[in-house]
Amino acid sequence: MTDAEIRALILELIGEIAPEADLALARNQDDLREVFDLDSMDFANLVVAIHDRLGVNIPEVHYNQLFTLECAIAYLHDALTQLKQNDG
């Protein structure tokens, strides 16, 4: 999965969780929670949705690595690469 595909998936999931969110406002360095007004439950739902779609386990201690789009893409890219290596 490319970084662009990961970015699109994250934004799609945010759109499902917060339908009023203006996804055009997404910039890589901005805190997703602030830009899209995600409360802690919304953010937890985002993490669960990512897990459901990608099969990536995200421990709570790593949630801070998902706060920005840039960091979330990097984290998920690495996690997917590791999953692929473990499967092969």
Side-chain angles (χ1 to χ4, degrees):
M1 187 171 223
T2 67
D3 288 354
E5 291 169 327
I6 294 169
R7 184 182 202 280
L9 176 66
I10 292 168
L11 292 176
E12 174 189 332
L13 296 173
I14 289 171
E16 291 172 9
I17 291 164
E20 73 287 351
D22 182 357
L23 300 179
L25 297 176
R27 294 187 320 192
N28 285 344
Q29 300 82 11
D30 292 341
D31 189 318
L32 296 171
R33 299 165 303 163
E34 292 177 15
V35 171
F36 300 117
D37 196 27
L38 302 176
D39 62 22
S40 59
M41 183 57 81
D42 291 334
F43 190 79
N45 287 335
L46 176 61
V47 173
V48 169
I50 290 170
H51 170 77
D52 290 347
R53 291 287 282 278
L54 299 179
V56 173
N57 290 320
I58 305 168
E60 191 172 347
V61 298
H62 292 173
Y63 284 10
N64 65 334
Q65 295 180 50
L66 303 176
F67 289 165
T68 68
L69 199 49
E70 182 175 57
C71 291
I73 292 167
Y75 180 89
L76 293 171
H77 181 91
D78 290 346
L80 289 168
T81 300
Q82 189 171 8
L83 269 178
K84 186 176 178 181
Q85 289 174 349
N86 290 340
D87 287 343

